């Protein structure tokens, strides 16, 4: 094997003979080339059989690429190689020998969704109290499963956890316990309660972990954490099996060693002994998967575990220019002393092998959109000036997927070919939503949201203005969309194609309604794609969207086929049930991405997703505090320190990991590296620049001027037909603020949605209080303008608490409650809230003036309308404005709550000529009042915000702004391709 082309350090690593070897391979130094060449060298030169070499890495894609590269290096390729992921290796072992330790033969391997479904279906077996909130019993399932997974990463068994929980009860006075809960700063009663709650919490988690593990075995299932743990247990309990594999694997190699967790490292150490012909390749500066259980301490620990290990440091970089490497190196040194460079006294400064100049720039924008405009303009400029550059040479590396979505829309507007590379989100792709909507119609063809989704699908091709007319007709006739489409000829003035396509849609639904009850799911799926014209539509235009849509359909088809394989004889209804459970669990669907193929496009992706890739020009945006680096997010359920096997790291673990993530982003760049931040990200408050900018020497920077965007090609868009509401309310503007697309669905298209029992409950409470207060105030026949002008204290005792509760029972409505249990729970909660209200009212005896006061108010050229729950007189011309809330009490008022009260303040001051002395959110649950008073500056900002929002509505700006906090409670999440749950 010819190794003359390699540098000296690479040669040493490739030909290393026996014993442990640590290869510290910096970014772009050819580590994959070295590890694959070492495997080929062992096979070709040392005549080691391929099945005597174990090479492990972390992803299927990486292991496949490694195997392919080894094959290319050898004259005859390899056969029966053991180049696998950690999990594939352990699975292979357990499939062969798992029955020797009692594991079920042919066990099913569960992914995260499978785990969630298993727990959900057996939830009654978990004795949860602390982690089972009444309002949302399933809230903590994901947190518990993540915790169990992390325990398995750390080799903590259910038995270990149960033992710890028992010991905790006996050691509540220990220093660790006192320090963890900060008991020293509590009163004796608080200390007693905190201790009680902690014992309950830990015991509950330990018991749940035990139940979950037994549940897996009872159902012949394992999860991914089990694979490594059971392989280790197998080797401990069956030393003969361990000995067999030790003899087989003469050499073991681990790629990306910095990403291993405790369990994986333990497995490797067991296999490598006693010869320890173990080669590990990694870079502590690129350890970025702590959230996934990886432990950077493994690579720091390696020399302690193997003090005789040879060290080889690869520093010759074949990717980036020196300026980029120097900038990245000076930055990452801030993680000292918690780096191998300090720990091992080695030099990790990368030396570029490229004799080229490059650009490093920092841009400060006024707003998030200006920041994006700078990036897009710079990409277009570089593409124009660099004759060798293609769109694929540009990458925008974001810290979170939410930021990626933002750039996705703006690149679209600028006509820049681009692709947002997210490994999740299959179920939110438009073509998959269309398919799921059609499946839902086969279960209930009167379902409005599903029919709407099909009506607007591009493959059906109905004009949007005709869809609006169909919706209007259905609403006017109070009938389902299906019934309206079935009688499409009753609607006059539609385009001719609408009549024929609507008739064809009804025939399609009727046909597959029958087929879905007897045919295979995959047959129904494929038949629908062709009969509906979906495939013809996607094939008619060879653009990137259609190409990606076809790949999404193929991925979804594989999912259906896998389901059919596991659930023999299942029909579409069974598959729909699975999808319902998956979506309920928060699963968004895995997307298959080939980074090396596909159209020539700018790549938008997270930094985590960019690991291992390289680009000519890299842009790193959103460099402000709380975005990059983000706030530290603790695990919802953390592993007690006493259960961890490794020594806890020193220093700020979170910031050091974020620095490593930033270092990875910077070292993806070959010729251009651009940092960007903005003053305003939509909150109205100036954002503080990221500490990383100061750490790189960018303390001060002038704001870049706003840019006039140019397009890569002229684009002519026809504005769709929409009827904009004539009046606006707080709730409408709040919907627009949270997501403009949500506003469009609710207030422009007016898509009907099912009612919510929470709204029913709130309406009952409001009506009851209104009746009670009106009578208590002895309103008589006084006009609403001064409804309680004749109020007297003598009339204040007309109604008692009993009368109030009788009113409540008469007003009660059972509409929209999912079951009797929920209804009774809310009925009881309402009685408690009203009792508390009555007692407070008796104590304070407020001077109630107006109830349920409607208002209309001009703001600029627009009309705002609303209704105020209650207005009390307090002193002189001053009044107190009260808004009732029937949901859970908040600790403080958020921006949206303040906007609502400010709007009411404006209305009272303008329409009633009264001064608002106080604004109150009255949370009836818990009888909690949160006061607030707006000043002139607040009101001016509110008016400007209202005018800006309405202007955007009139401009038909309905771009979605998804987020889990928005989409999780949205009525339209089932038909929206942008949802994030």
């Amino acid at each position: 094997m010819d190794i003359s082309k390699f540098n000296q350090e690479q040669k040493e690593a490739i030909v290393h003979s026996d014993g442990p070897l640590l290869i510290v391979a910096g970014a772009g130094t050819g580590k994959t080339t070295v590890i694959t060449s070492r495997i080929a060298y062992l096979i070709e030169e040392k005549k080691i059989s391929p099945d005597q070499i174990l090479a492990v890495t972390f992803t299927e894609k990486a292991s496949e690429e490694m195997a392919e590269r080894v094959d290319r290096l050898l004259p005859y390729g390899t056969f029966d190689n053991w180049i696998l992921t950690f999990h594939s290796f352990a699975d292979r072992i357990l499939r062969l020998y798992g029955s020797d330790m009692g594991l079920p033969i042919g066990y099913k391997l569960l992914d995260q969704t499978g785990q969630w479904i298993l727990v959900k279906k057996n939830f009654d077996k978990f004795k949860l109290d602390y982690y089972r909130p009444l309002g949302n019993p399933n809230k903590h399932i994901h947190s518990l499963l993540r915790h169990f997974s992390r325990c398995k990463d750390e080799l903590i068994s259910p038995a270990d956890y149960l033992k710890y929980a028992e010991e905790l009860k006996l050691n509540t006075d220990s220093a660790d316990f006192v320090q963890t809960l900060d008991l020293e700063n509590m009163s004796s009663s608080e200390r007693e309660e905190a201790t009680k709650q902690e014992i309950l919490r830990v015991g509950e988690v330990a018991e749940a972990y035990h139940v979950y593990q037994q549940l897996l075995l009872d159902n012949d299932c394992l999860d991914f954490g089990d694979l490594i743990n059971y392989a280790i247990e197998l080797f401990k309990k069956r030393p003969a099996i361990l000995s067999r594999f030790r003899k087989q694997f003469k050499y073991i190699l681990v790629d990306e060693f910095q990403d291993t967790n405790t369990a994986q490292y333990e497995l490797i150490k067991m296999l490598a002994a006693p010869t320890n012909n173990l080669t590990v390749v990694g870079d502590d500066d690129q350890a970025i998967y702590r959230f996934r259980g990886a432990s950077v301490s493994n690579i720091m620990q390696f020399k302690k575990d193997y003090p005789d290990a040879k060290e080889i440091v690869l520093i010759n970089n074949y990717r980036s220019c020196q300026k980029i490497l120097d900038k990245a190196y000076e930055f990452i040194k801030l993680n000292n002393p918690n780096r191998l460079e300090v720990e091992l006294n080695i030099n990790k400064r990368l030396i570029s092998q490229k004799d080229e100049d490059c650009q490093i720039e920092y841009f400060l924008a006024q707003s998030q959109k200006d920041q994006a405009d700078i990036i897009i303009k710079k990409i277009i400029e570089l593409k124009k000036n660099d004759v060798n550059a293609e769109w694929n040479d540009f990458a925008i590396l974001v810290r979170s997927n939410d930021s990626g979505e933002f750039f996705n829309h703006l690149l679209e507007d600028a006509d820049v070919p681009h692709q947002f590379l997210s490994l999740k989100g299959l179920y939110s792709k438009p073509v998959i939503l269309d398919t799921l909507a059609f499946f839902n119609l086969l279960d209930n063809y009167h379902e409005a949201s599903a029919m709407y989704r099909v009506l607007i699908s591009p493959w059906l091709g109905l004009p949007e203005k005709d869809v609006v007319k169909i919706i209007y007709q259905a609403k006017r006739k109070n009938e389902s969309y299906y019934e309206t489409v079935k009688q499409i000829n009753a609607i006059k003035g539609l385009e001719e194609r609408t009549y024929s396509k609507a008739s064809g849609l009804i025939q399609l639904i009727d046909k597959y309604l029958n087929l879905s009850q007897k045919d295979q799911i995959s047959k129904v799926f494929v038949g629908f794609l062709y009969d509906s014209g979906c495939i013809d539509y996607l094939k008619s235009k060879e653009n990137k969207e259609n190409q990606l849509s076809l790949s999404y359909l193929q991925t979804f088809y594989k999912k259906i086929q896998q389901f059919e394989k596991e659930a023999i004889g299942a029909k579409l209804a069974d598959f729909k049930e699975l999808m319902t459970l998956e979506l309920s669990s928060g699963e968004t669907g895995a997307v298959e991405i080939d980074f090396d193929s596909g159209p020539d496009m700018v790549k938008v992706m997270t930094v985590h997703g960019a690991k291992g890739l390289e680009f000519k020009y890299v842009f790193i945006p959103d460099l402000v505090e709380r975005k990059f680096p983000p706030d530290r997010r603790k695990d919802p359920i953390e592993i007690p320190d006493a259960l961890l096997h490794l020594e806890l790291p020193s220093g700020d673990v979170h910031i050091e990991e974020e620095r490593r993530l930033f270092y990875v982003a910077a070292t993806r760049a070959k010729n251009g590296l651009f940092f960007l931040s903005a003053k305003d990200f939509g909150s109205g408050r100036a954002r503080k620049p990221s500490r990383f900018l100061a750490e790189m020497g960018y303390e001060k920077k002038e704001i870049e001027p706003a840019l006039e965007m140019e397009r890569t090609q002229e684009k002519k868009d026809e504005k769709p037909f929409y009827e904009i509401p004539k009046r606006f309310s707080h709730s409408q503007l709040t919907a627009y603020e949270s997501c403009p697309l949500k506003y469009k669905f609710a207030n422009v298209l007016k898509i009907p949605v099912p009612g919510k029992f929470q709204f029913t409950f709130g309406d009952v409470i409001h009506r009851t209080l209104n009746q009670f207060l009106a009578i208590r105030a002895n309103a008589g026949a006084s006009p609403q303008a001064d409804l309680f002008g004749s109020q007297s204290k003598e009339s204040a005792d007309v109604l008692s608490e009993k009368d109030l509760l009788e009113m409540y029972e008469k007003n009660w409505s059972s509409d929209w409650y999912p079951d009797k249990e929920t209804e009774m729970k809310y009925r009881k909660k309402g009685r408690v809230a009203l009792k508390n209200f009555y007692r407070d009212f008796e104590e304070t005896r407020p001077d109630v003036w107006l109830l349920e006061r409607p208002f209309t108010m001009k703001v600029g050229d627009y009309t705002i309308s609303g209704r105020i729950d209650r207005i009390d007189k307090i002193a002189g011309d001053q009044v107190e404005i009260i808004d009732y809330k029937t949901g859970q009490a908040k600790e403080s008022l958020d921006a949206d709550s303040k906007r609502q009260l400010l709007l009411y303040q404006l209305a009272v001051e303008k329409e009633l000529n009264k001064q608002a002395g106080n604004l109150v959110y009255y949370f009836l649950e818990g009888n909690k009042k949160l006061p607030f008073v707006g000043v002139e500056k607040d009101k001016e900002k509110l008016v400007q915000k209202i005018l800006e929002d309405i202007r955007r509505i009139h401009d038909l700006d309905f771009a979605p702004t998804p987020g889990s906090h928005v989409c999780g409670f949205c009525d339209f999440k089932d038909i929206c391709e942008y949802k994030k749950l």
Side-chain angles (χ1 to χ4, degrees), residues 22-57:
L22 170 63
I23 304 174
V24 182
T29 57
K31 72 171 183 61
T32 306
T33 299
V34 168
I35 198 169
T36 53
S37 297
R38 174 160 173 73
I39 294 171
Y41 174 83
L42 290 171
I43 295 171
E44 190 173 1
E45 300 297 330
K46 298 199 72 172
K47 308 305 178 186
I48 304 297
S49 174
D51 68 347
Q52 294 178 320
I53 300 171
L54 172 63
V56 287
T57 187

Side-chain angles (χ1 to χ4, degrees), residues 904-930:
Y904 292 170
Q905 181 179 351
L906 278 173
V908 167
E909 292 175 350
K910 292 182 68 172
E911 302 300 312
L912 299 178
N913 197 29
K914 295 287 185 182
Q915 183 181 354
N918 200 19
L919 313 173
V920 176
Y921 250 13
Y922 191 167
F923 291 94
L924 297 165
E925 183 178 348
N927 199 48
K928 185 173 184 178
K929 300 174 184 177
L930 292 181

Side-chain angles (χ1 to χ4, degrees), residues 803-867:
D803 296 321
L804 172 63
L805 296 177
E806 285 179 358
M807 286 181 181
Y808 173 64
E809 293 299 332
K810 287 179 181 178
N811 284 323
W812 185 259
S813 171
S814 300
D815 289 350
W816 301 110
Y817 285 92
D819 50 57
K820 278 296 179 185
E821 182 181 352
T822 304
E823 181 182 350
M824 293 310 297
K825 185 190 77 174
Y826 270 79
R827 199 164 188 163
K828 180 180 178 181
K829 185 170 80 167
R831 290 179 67 86
V832 173
L834 290 174
K835 286 180 180 180
N836 289 332
F837 171 85
Y838 183 88
R839 290 162 192 162
D840 180 78
F841 188 84
E842 283 293 301
E843 289 178 11
T844 58
R845 294 291 181 96
D847 189 359
V848 180
W849 182 40
L850 299 175
L851 293 171
E852 293 290 328
R853 169 74 187 206
F855 68 85
T856 57
M857 173 178 59
K858 294 291 289 183
V859 176
D861 296 327
Y862 307 109
T863 300
I864 309 296
S865 62
R867 185 179 296 271

Side-chain angles (χ1 to χ4, degrees), residues 621-636:
D622 298 346
L623 289 175
V624 294
E625 288 294 294
R626 309 194 75 178
K627 277 187 172 288
F628 204 167
D631 293 339
R632 179 177 182 263
R633 283 171 41 176
K634 296 173 65 177
D635 283 340

Side-chain angles (χ1 to χ4, degrees), residues 729-730 766 770 784 851-856 865-870 882-883 900 903-904:
S729 68
H730 166 74
H766 276 70
N770 189 41
Q784 174 72 10
L851 293 171
E852 293 290 328
R853 169 74 187 206
F855 68 85
T856 57
S865 62
R867 185 179 296 271
I868 301 173
D869 289 341
R870 179 175 136 195
I882 299 170
D883 190 72
Q900 181 179 2
L903 185 64
Y904 292 170

Side-chain angles (χ1 to χ4, degrees), residues 485-634:
V485 174
K486 199 168 186 178
Q487 305 169 65
I488 194 71
N489 291 327
I491 307 176
K492 305 303 179 186
L494 304 179
E495 291 189 23
E496 196 59 40
R497 58 176 167 152
T498 299
Y499 295 109
S500 60
K501 286 179 177 292
S503 299
L505 176 60
I506 296 298
Q507 292 173 16
L508 187 73
I509 294 170
D510 291 344
K511 174 183 176 180
Y512 282 95
L513 192 60
N514 295 322
L515 293 176
S516 66
Q517 297 173 22
K518 56 184 180 181
D519 279 355
Q520 282 184 295
I521 309 160
S522 54
K523 186 175 180 181
V524 173
F525 173 70
V526 174
F528 155 70
L529 292 181
Y530 282 91
D531 288 351
S532 66
C534 180
I535 292 295
D536 288 339
Y537 170 79
L538 294 175
K539 288 171 64 180
S540 65
K541 295 180 180 179
E542 294 185 359
N543 53 34
K544 65 159 187 170
E545 289 84 7
N546 288 7
Q547 184 177 343
L548 289 171
S549 291
L550 287 168
S551 71
Y552 299 145
L553 286 172
Q554 183 63 27
T555 301
F556 195 61
Y557 188 36
K558 290 179 182 177
K559 179 175 183 62
I560 291 173
Q561 291 174 314
Q562 182 63 31
F563 177 74
E564 288 178 327
K565 183 179 177 181
E566 295 174 356
I568 299 172
K571 295 293 183 282
L572 183 63
D574 302 302
F575 182 71
K576 277 188 74 270
E577 182 184 2
L578 171 70
M579 290 303 303
T580 299
L581 285 169
E582 285 206 17
L583 293 169
S584 298
S585 77
E587 174 60 42
T588 59
V591 178
E592 294 180 359
I593 294 178
D594 186 351
F595 294 98
D596 301 319
S597 65
D600 179 26
M601 292 183 287
V602 173
K603 300 296 186 285
V604 182
M605 60 198 310
T606 65
V607 183
H608 283 103
K611 179 82 187 308
L613 304 178
E614 57 184 40
F615 304 91
K616 201 167 189 178
Y617 302 103
V618 167
F619 296 82
I620 308 176
D622 298 346
L623 289 175
V624 294
E625 288 294 294
R626 309 194 75 178
K627 277 187 172 288
F628 204 167
D631 293 339
R632 179 177 182 263
R633 283 171 41 176
K634 296 173 65 177

Side-chain angles (χ1 to χ4, degrees), residues 425-439 453 459 525 528-529 534 548-557 579 588 974 977 979:
L426 177 67
Y427 303 153
S428 66
K429 303 304 180 186
V431 70
I432 303 302
L433 280 173
D434 293 345
T435 304
L436 290 173
F438 185 78
F439 283 179
R453 180 77 214 184
W459 46 264
F525 173 70
F528 155 70
L529 292 181
C534 180
L548 289 171
S549 291
L550 287 168
S551 71
Y552 299 145
L553 286 172
Q554 183 63 27
T555 301
F556 195 61
Y557 188 36
M579 290 303 303
T588 59
D974 291 334
E977 62 264 43
K979 66 174 177 282

Side-chain angles (χ1 to χ4, degrees), residues 322-538:
Q322 194 62 50
K323 280 172 63 177
I324 289 175
L325 297 178
D326 288 345
K327 177 68 73 173
Y329 176 67
E330 292 302 319
F331 173 78
I332 200 60
K333 281 201 302 182
L334 293 168
N335 273 0
N336 288 344
N338 297 323
R339 295 177 60 241
L340 278 178
E341 188 168 44
V342 175
E343 187 80 18
L344 301 181
N345 193 27
I346 57 177
N347 174 27
K348 289 187 62 184
R349 182 176 181 270
L350 300 178
I351 307 299
S352 176
Q353 303 303 298
K354 296 172 61 175
D355 187 18
E356 300 175 11
D357 195 15
C358 59
Q359 302 178 57
I360 304 178
E361 291 187 72
Y362 165 49
F363 298 97
L364 172 61
Q366 178 61 45
S367 69
Q368 185 181 21
K369 184 174 184 305
D370 289 345
Q371 175 191 241
D373 287 347
I374 290 171
I375 291 175
I376 295 169
K377 187 174 179 66
K378 190 69 178 177
I379 288 174
I380 294 172
E381 175 191 307
L382 288 167
K383 177 77 164 53
K384 191 180 295 182
N385 295 336
D386 185 346
V387 294
N388 296 316
E390 298 181 344
W391 295 118
N392 277 330
D393 289 320
F394 298 89
I396 302 172
L397 303 185
V398 294
R399 179 61 182 84
S400 69
N401 277 319
D402 288 344
S403 297
E405 289 281 11
F406 182 83
F407 287 104
N408 201 31
H409 296 302
L410 294 176
L411 287 162
E412 189 76 44
D413 291 341
D415 294 329
V416 173
H418 66 283
Q419 184 179 12
F420 177 41
L421 297 169
S422 174
L423 296 174
K424 285 287 190 180
L426 177 67
Y427 303 153
S428 66
K429 303 304 180 186
V431 70
I432 303 302
L433 280 173
D434 293 345
T435 304
L436 290 173
F438 185 78
F439 283 179
N440 286 337
L441 286 179
L442 301 184
D443 182 52
N444 176 12
Y445 51 79
H446 292 295
E447 186 181 322
S449 62
M451 192 65 175
Y452 170 77
R453 180 77 214 184
V454 171
L455 288 172
I456 65 168
S457 61
W459 46 264
L460 189 60
L462 295 185
E464 190 171 18
K465 60 183 179 60
D466 283 3
V467 175
V468 173
K469 290 178 181 178
I470 291 171
I471 293 171
Y472 176 78
Q473 176 78 349
K475 189 174 181 181
R476 187 168 71 87
K477 292 289 187 180
N478 194 26
E479 60 188 14
S480 70
Y481 292 172
Y482 175 86
E483 292 170 317
T484 302
V485 174
K486 199 168 186 178
Q487 305 169 65
I488 194 71
N489 291 327
I491 307 176
K492 305 303 179 186
L494 304 179
E495 291 189 23
E496 196 59 40
R497 58 176 167 152
T498 299
Y499 295 109
S500 60
K501 286 179 177 292
S503 299
L505 176 60
I506 296 298
Q507 292 173 16
L508 187 73
I509 294 170
D510 291 344
K511 174 183 176 180
Y512 282 95
L513 192 60
N514 295 322
L515 293 176
S516 66
Q517 297 173 22
K518 56 184 180 181
D519 279 355
Q520 282 184 295
I521 309 160
S522 54
K523 186 175 180 181
V524 173
F525 173 70
V526 174
F528 155 70
L529 292 181
Y530 282 91
D531 288 351
S532 66
C534 180
I535 292 295
D536 288 339
Y537 170 79
L538 294 175

